[in-house]
Each structure stands twice: as structure tokens, then as C-alpha cells.
Amino acid sequence: MRLLYPSRVKPRSVQLLVTCLIDHFFPQTGLAAVEVLERHGVSVTCPAGQTCCGQPAFNAGSWNDARAMARHTLDVLSKDERPIVVPSGSCADMVLHHYETLLAAEPAYAKKAHDVASRTYEFSQFLVDVLGITDTGATGTGRVTYHAACHGLRGLGVDRQPRALLEHVRGIERCPLRDADVCCGFGGLFAVKMADISGAMLAAKLDAIEESRADTVVVTDVSCGMHVQGGLERRGSRVRVRHLAEVLASR
């Protein structure tokens, strides 16, 4: 297991890797992440020039394209040495676990990839494991359940962190979700290439959500949230999906 932060001094400033889906479709999630971090005394910079981390190209086998996007992202994030916070388990997993392998034949970029990975954290992981925060002062209403997105859970071991943060949100009723750790069927290109299987997996996830009696599903990846929300809307469900950062920013 990597050392979560190499200093006893907690960082007071970070870079935010916004992710392309948040930038284009869910800006409120990025703004909520900034609000939560700043509420706890952490200043946030969003480095200019960010684009996709390259995960779709990587998953499609277009590794030359993925390398180009990885190089660009590393150049953007290497301009200063502050920790990097990512409100997406899948994009954080890409930076942490695939950049160095992709760029192994390019020593200068492999070194950059290793350095950037060593200070990159998924959002809830940074709050709980680095800052030591579980109570963000958030308040809410209604019944809330939690879906554990695959890359965050299996790639980064992120599970107890979002649950601990939700445990301290005042005013909400937490509802267990059956098979919370089972994929929703998104998987990026998987949903495109294997539409029938993806649809069946989504249907099972939606059944579990409806059984939970929650009115809000919390996720740590907007990509999975987008998939689940689309399915819920097609069913005519009134259940809504929110990113963890949005829940923690509420009060």
C-alpha cells in the first residue's frame, strides 16, 4: 500500500483534476468539491489546459492516443508539486495505475507519471485518509443510499471513506443498498460494445435501488451516476442521483 501522504503536515493547497465529464456535464459537482475543500481550509487551483485523462482511448485499445492524452495531462499537473484531487475514482485510477505503464518506454514521462501518481487522490480518499475529516458539517434530508463505483472500489479501495463521510451528514436517513458493490453496467465503452449485457446489469441495479426505498443515490463517479440516472428516468422513477461532493457541500 502506498504512503497516503509523505508528510506529517496536512496539505493546505491542492490541484483539482476536474475530469472532462464534470467539466462538460456536471459542473456543479466540481464546484461542490471546491466548496468542501475550501470549507476545510484547503485552497484549490484548477490547472488550465486540462482535458480527458485518456481512459476511453486506453480502454478501447487506442494506446497511442491514450499516451498523447497522458503526456498532456502529466505536463499540466507537473507544473507544481501540490497534491492532486480527483472527484472521480475511474479517472484517479487511470492516473495512478496506468500512466506509468503506458509511458514506460519514455523515461522522462515515466518519471513524471510516477511522481504525479504518488500525490494523486480520489476526492473522498483525500478528505478521510489525508485530511482526517469525516464530518464536513453537511446537512440534508430524505433517504440516501450509496452505490460503490467499480474503479474507485476495486482500483483504489475506496469504500469506507464515502460511507464514513455520509455517516456524518445530519438529517438524512441512510438506506442499505443490496449488491452495492456490483457494477451498474456502465464501464465506459462496455455500455456501448455490450449494450444488452449492460442494460441487464443496469436493470438489476435499478431494482436494488428501488428496493432500498431511498430517494437519493450517492456516487463517487459521475459516469456511473449518469448511467443510473438515465435508467431511473426511463423508468419514470423520482429517485435522483447525486455525487458525494454535492451531498457534502449541502448545509
Side-chain angles (χ1 to χ4, degrees):
M1 178 180 294
R2 73 179 174 130
L3 186 62
L4 278 172
Y5 197 70
S7 167
R8 292 181 182 276
V9 179
K10 294 178 181 177
R12 304 321 312 176
S13 179
V14 300
Q15 303 180 78
L16 186 70
L17 179 57
V18 179
T19 85
C20 53
L21 281 180
I22 290 176
D23 186 29
H24 289 285
F25 300 112
F26 305 96
Q28 71 275 15
T29 298
L31 293 170
V34 172
E35 181 175 337
V36 173
L37 290 165
E38 289 185 343
R39 184 186 298 169
H40 294 282
V42 178
S43 65
V44 181
T45 299
C46 296
Q50 296 186 37
T51 184
C52 175
C53 67
Q55 185 184 175
F58 179 75
N59 291 343
S62 302
W63 283 23
N64 285 335
D65 292 334
R67 284 189 188 92
M69 299 165 98
R71 288 188 204 99
H72 175 78
T73 301
L74 290 171
D75 287 340
V76 167
L77 297 176
S78 295
K79 291 177 181 175
D80 71 47
E81 298 180 345
R82 287 176 290 180
I84 298 143
V85 176
V86 192
S88 161
S90 59
C91 301
D93 182 60
M94 181 69 192
V95 174
L96 273 160
H97 295 138
H98 299 301
Y99 275 12
E100 193 168 356
T101 301
L102 268 177
L103 299 166
E106 302 174 50
Y109 274 105
K111 183 176 182 301
K112 275 189 179 183
H114 180 79
D115 170 65
V116 166
S118 72
R119 50 193 173 91
T120 295
Y121 306 91
E122 184 274 337
F123 174 69
S124 69
Q125 186 182 54
F126 183 78
L127 289 175
V128 175
D129 296 340
V130 178
L131 296 183
I133 293 168
T134 52
D135 186 349
T136 63
T139 61
T141 58
R143 297 185 297 274
V144 173
T145 195
Y146 171 68
H147 163 64
C150 295
H151 280 96
L153 177 65
R154 296 176 178 83
L156 305 175
V158 169
D159 190 45
R160 62 179 172 79
Q161 299 93 336
R163 294 182 189 279
L165 290 160
L166 287 172
E167 183 79 19
H168 288 85
V169 177
R170 296 164 186 80
I172 63 170
E173 177 186 346
R174 291 177 299 282
C175 304
L177 179 64
R178 174 174 58 81
D179 297 331
D181 61 342
V182 174
C183 178
C184 68
F186 179 60
L189 294 178
F190 174 79
V192 177
K193 291 184 175 180
M194 304 287 183
D196 290 343
I197 298 174
S198 171
M201 294 170 74
L202 177 61
K205 178 61 64 178
L206 300 182
D207 289 344
I209 290 170
E210 290 178 337
E211 288 173 20
S212 77
R213 299 182 62 251
D215 48 42
T216 300
V217 183
V218 177
V219 297
T220 51
D221 256 289
V222 295
S223 54
C224 303
M226 182 170 60
H227 188 58
V228 172
Q229 186 69 66
L232 289 168
E233 290 179 2
R234 283 193 294 276
R235 282 192 176 193
S237 172
R238 300 180 67 176
V239 179
R240 61 176 178 164
V241 178
R242 298 182 79 192
H243 189 281
L244 177 67
E246 296 170 56
V247 176
L248 299 182
S250 299
R251 59 180 182 178

